[in-house]
Amino acid sequence: MSTTEGLSNEALDELAKYDTPTVCNVIELWNIRPRNVGFMNDTIKACFPKMPPMVGYALTSTFRSMAPPRSGDVYAGLDNQVAAFESLPGAPVVVYQDMDEPTASATFGEVMCSTYKAYGAKGIITSGAGRDLDQVEALDFPAFTNGAICAHGYCHTLAVNVPITVGGIPIYPGDLLHGDLNGVTTIPHEIASEIADACKDLMKAEDIVLDYLKGGNLTPEGLGEARKELAAEVGKLGKRLRGE
């Protein structure tokens, strides 16, 4: 069970206004983790790239479908997952590690995603595959996978709220996640409440170069000056965020 105090739904909605690359850029300004960690690799892709960013707290689970479960029903884990939503600090994102190598069949489909959404989940991520993608898209339910497979095999959930590995990074129960068509990143809890405002400030700084490029009469010298001004503003923002 997570003991982290979560952001309000309003604060999560603010985070969802910004794309995931901007969130990653802002996290870098704190210098609290190396720049090459904390985000999923390119094995995890958005099933529905046109959907807006997904933000929520990880409800972690492990999954198999190559062989039947030793006991119980293949959907028995669904009840346990929904019950575990209350252990999270905020709105859930269901995150599965598919333990089969290679992936044998789909982790989720329409019924599972309909259930998750009805109980307040904001999306699903799996290191395995998905199916019923037209139906899941119609639910307006963001999904991230390594591909699609038409059958569910002997799908069953092994464990809920356990540390897992997805997209090359560890995911722990209650981790704050932000994902869009560019990929998925974790957001450190200790800076989560400041990310949205920092994204706004970073985008304002980036407008210095973008506005220059739209202005006509472009020169290499002008671009250099605009980039210097941008770097200065980003530097000031980073120092402010770090309390320097």
Side-chain angles (χ1 to χ4, degrees), residues 56-80:
Y57 292 93
L59 187 286
T60 59
S61 299
T62 53
F63 171 88
R64 285 194 186 278
S65 62
M66 177 62 74
R70 293 185 176 181
S71 63
D73 180 81
V74 294
Y75 287 109
L78 200 56
D79 299 345
N80 295 332

Side-chain angles (χ1 to χ4, degrees), residues 66-232:
M66 177 62 74
R70 293 185 176 181
S71 63
D73 180 81
V74 294
Y75 287 109
L78 200 56
D79 299 345
N80 295 332
Q81 288 177 311
V82 169
F85 282 1
E86 294 183 0
S87 70
L88 298 175
V93 170
V94 178
V95 190
Y96 267 110
Q97 180 178 353
D98 187 345
M99 307 300 286
D100 290 326
E101 290 288 346
T103 296
S105 57
T107 303
F108 67 81
E110 180 183 12
V111 171
M112 290 177 69
C113 290
S114 296
T115 303
Y116 296 143
K117 183 170 183 178
Y119 282 87
K122 297 299 183 180
I124 185 168
I125 304 168
T126 177
S127 63
R131 70 172 193 158
D132 297 340
L133 296 183
D134 283 343
Q135 293 89 339
V136 175
E137 183 175 22
L139 292 171
D140 197 26
F141 194 71
F144 298 78
T145 72
N146 74 4
I149 296 178
C150 56
H152 60 56
Y154 295 102
C155 64
H156 57 286
T157 298
L158 299 170
V160 176
N161 265 352
V162 293
I164 59 176
T165 300
V166 176
I169 62 171
I171 301 293
Y172 295 91
D175 277 356
L176 180 56
L177 303 173
H178 192 291
D180 65 10
L181 76 164
N182 300 285
V184 179
T185 189
T186 60
I187 296 177
H189 292 297
E190 59 267 36
I191 61 173
S193 63
E194 301 178 71
I195 292 289
D197 285 343
C199 285
K200 184 185 303 181
D201 291 339
L202 180 62
M203 292 177 68
K204 183 177 179 181
E206 290 176 341
D207 282 340
I208 295 169
V209 170
L210 296 176
D211 288 344
Y212 173 77
L213 295 173
K214 296 172 185 176
N217 299 317
L218 303 178
T219 65
E221 294 78 14
L223 176 60
E225 289 301 316
R227 286 173 55 81
K228 286 181 184 177
E229 186 179 351
L230 166 60

Side-chain angles (χ1 to χ4, degrees), residues 7-16 55 192-193 196:
L7 300 180
S8 66
N9 289 333
E10 291 76 13
L12 294 176
D13 288 342
E14 281 298 309
L15 274 174
V55 184
S193 63

